[in-house]
Amino acid sequence: MTTSSASTTTSPADGDTPLHRAIGPRLLILFVIGDILGTGIYATTGKVAGKVGGALWLPFAIGFVVAILTAASYVELVGKYPKAAGAALYTQKAFKVPFLTFIVAFMVMCSGLSSASAAARAFSGDYLGELTNDALPPTLIAILFVLALAALNLRGVSESVKANVVLTLVELSGLLIILAIGAYAVLTGDGEPSRLTEFEAGGSGFALMTGVLGATALGFFAFVGFEDSVNMAEETRDPTRTFPRAIFIGVAVTGTIYVLVALVSSLLVDHKTLESSSGPLLEVVKAGGLDFPHELFALIALFAVTNSALINIMMASRLCYGMANERILPRAMGRVLPARRTPVVGIVFVSLLAIGLVSTGEIEGLGDTTAFLLLCVFAVVNVAVLVLRRDPVGHPHFRTPTILPVLGALTALILASPLADRPAEVYIRAGVLVAIGIGLWAVNKLVMKARSEE
């Protein structure tokens, strides 16, 4: 699962070389699926179970509906404006407030960092523990993990959609193993079906509602990533026709897999056991009747979270680089390492932020921070699609029913609100990250003003 839907990249100016439109419908579908799959389902399933109880499937089912609502808005907007810029472009076109556009772009960048940090925490947990007996502190392992990704990023990593297909298939294989274990359990009569209707919050009314909303808000972390695909608009053949099918199929496939994985997890493992593990799906493999090598599944899970972290740090550093080039962050943050042609200052900056996050947060809090930041962005995007109905374009494109973005904005705001029973530390962490961005923006404005007065 990756999170980088906003970019300050602009379309090619006259005379510049346009991007190569090499992505067809099938590759785009796999790209969307690959973007969504990853850390969320592998790492936070247990924490969701801890919030809701045995009815683990319900938050993922609700999260699927919320994702579809916002995906519909992205589909309309990318068809209307097929540019590689995502939420930042839509925000600027709708509201024409540069500061708001910057906040949206910076929140997307920070969501990528908190997602990568959650992946680093997941890497240092039970999945790694299944393969090694090293007694290094998890926080130290997570920091070393971030530094290793930064070094790889500095060296230069070639992004390829075809390579993403391979990575997607490996990540998907781990989830299919879980589903196979679940099918075997059902056929052999194993598991506890009664757990599927048990709620941790107990009782009814407000306590139950906030418990389910809190679990859904955290579980929504597993769904983020579909919005990344809009950045491929300028490299997709016939994007106005290709994107609706690709995004809806991608979200539907991953949503179905997530609900089924949640059902299997609750069927085979008590929610308390899931909650206490940083590798919850490994607990499912161990509890299943199939003799699947635990070490191999742990390796698949490590691969999934590593891929998610690498992509998120790469995208965050490139977004930082892009904002510097657009002069909305200090120009120094756009410096490139001459030998490798990689954004060295951007990579160092986002890596330092990631180290700060893994040093002060756990999987649950970091995943919830990612979801909170993107839910705020999604609320803006859902409103933007309605505002931009006043801006017709000269080509046909998908138009979502008006009720969907309205519901999308409302559900995003509800899940981002205190009704979701979110710990205060999540709001504080997100606030600190945004404050850092505002500070950099203010410094940049002062520097630019001073230079203009010279």
Side-chain angles (χ1 to χ4, degrees), residues 26-280:
R26 293 180 182 177
L27 278 178
L28 187 60
I29 290 171
L30 287 170
F31 183 85
V32 174
I33 293 173
D35 256 3
I36 299 174
L37 293 178
T39 301
I41 192 68
Y42 278 96
T44 60
T45 300
K47 307 308 177 185
V48 175
K51 284 179 172 286
V52 74
L56 176 59
W57 57 273
L58 182 59
F60 287 103
I62 299 173
F64 169 58
V65 173
V66 175
I68 282 291
L69 294 174
T70 298
S73 293
Y74 271 95
V75 167
E76 176 171 339
L77 290 168
V78 75
K80 197 172 183 179
Y81 311 107
K83 304 293 183 181
L89 171 67
Y90 312 144
T91 302
Q92 181 60 28
K93 282 187 171 293
F95 306 108
K96 296 179 173 57
V97 180
F99 180 70
L100 177 61
T101 301
F102 164 74
I103 290 296
V104 167
F106 199 82
M107 288 180 78
V108 172
M109 188 193 84
C110 290
S111 72
L113 291 180
S114 57
S115 178
S117 301
R121 276 292 186 178
F123 184 92
S124 66
D126 291 341
Y127 291 126
L128 182 62
E130 189 67 26
L131 300 175
T132 176
N133 294 321
D134 289 344
L136 288 176
T139 300
L140 178 59
I141 294 174
I143 292 173
L144 293 175
F145 178 76
V146 170
L147 291 175
L149 294 182
L152 182 59
N153 204 350
L154 281 170
R155 183 173 178 82
V157 180
S158 177
E159 293 181 89
S160 166
V161 173
K162 291 184 179 179
N164 180 267
V165 171
V166 176
L167 304 179
T168 298
L169 294 176
V170 174
E171 294 175 355
L172 185 58
S173 68
L175 301 180
L176 294 180
I177 289 166
I178 297 295
L179 298 186
I181 289 173
Y184 180 81
V186 170
L187 292 174
T188 57
D190 290 338
E192 292 290 338
S194 63
R195 282 200 289 256
L196 302 179
T197 56
E198 294 177 352
F199 289 90
E200 170 67 13
S204 59
F206 187 76
L208 179 60
M209 181 190 73
T210 56
V212 173
L213 285 177
T216 301
L218 178 57
F220 193 73
F221 172 47
F223 284 95
V224 299
F226 66 86
E227 74 284 356
D228 290 351
S229 61
V230 299
N231 285 318
M232 309 305 294
E234 294 181 49
E235 296 169 89
T236 300
R237 296 194 294 270
D238 197 4
T240 57
R241 294 182 59 186
T242 303
F243 267 93
R245 182 168 175 262
I247 291 182
F248 286 134
I249 289 177
V251 174
V253 168
T254 52
T256 301
I257 291 174
Y258 284 174
V259 172
L260 291 175
V261 167
L263 284 168
V264 171
S265 299
S266 284
L267 185 69
L268 294 178
V269 184
D270 178 77
H271 74 274
K272 291 292 186 183
T273 303
L274 290 172
E275 181 184 14
S276 64
S277 175
S278 58

Side-chain angles (χ1 to χ4, degrees), residues 410-423:
L410 289 175
T411 53
L413 288 172
I414 289 171
L415 290 177
S417 76
L419 285 175
D421 195 27
R422 183 176 286 109

Side-chain angles (χ1 to χ4, degrees), residues 305-366:
V305 299
T306 299
N307 186 47
S308 294
L310 177 60
I311 290 175
N312 274 290
I313 286 184
M314 285 179 60
M315 291 300 184
S317 62
R318 270 60 180 183
L319 183 52
C320 181
Y321 166 80
M323 286 190 285
N325 282 343
E326 293 292 329
R327 304 297 187 265
I328 55 178
L329 282 180
R331 190 171 182 178
M333 301 188 75
R335 288 180 182 170
V336 172
L337 190 65
R340 293 292 178 181
R341 308 298 297 172
T342 51
V344 57
V345 177
I347 291 171
V348 171
F349 174 68
V350 300
S351 298
L352 288 174
L353 286 183
I355 289 173
L357 289 171
V358 300
S359 301
T360 58
E362 300 293 339
I363 293 174
E364 181 177 353
L366 294 169

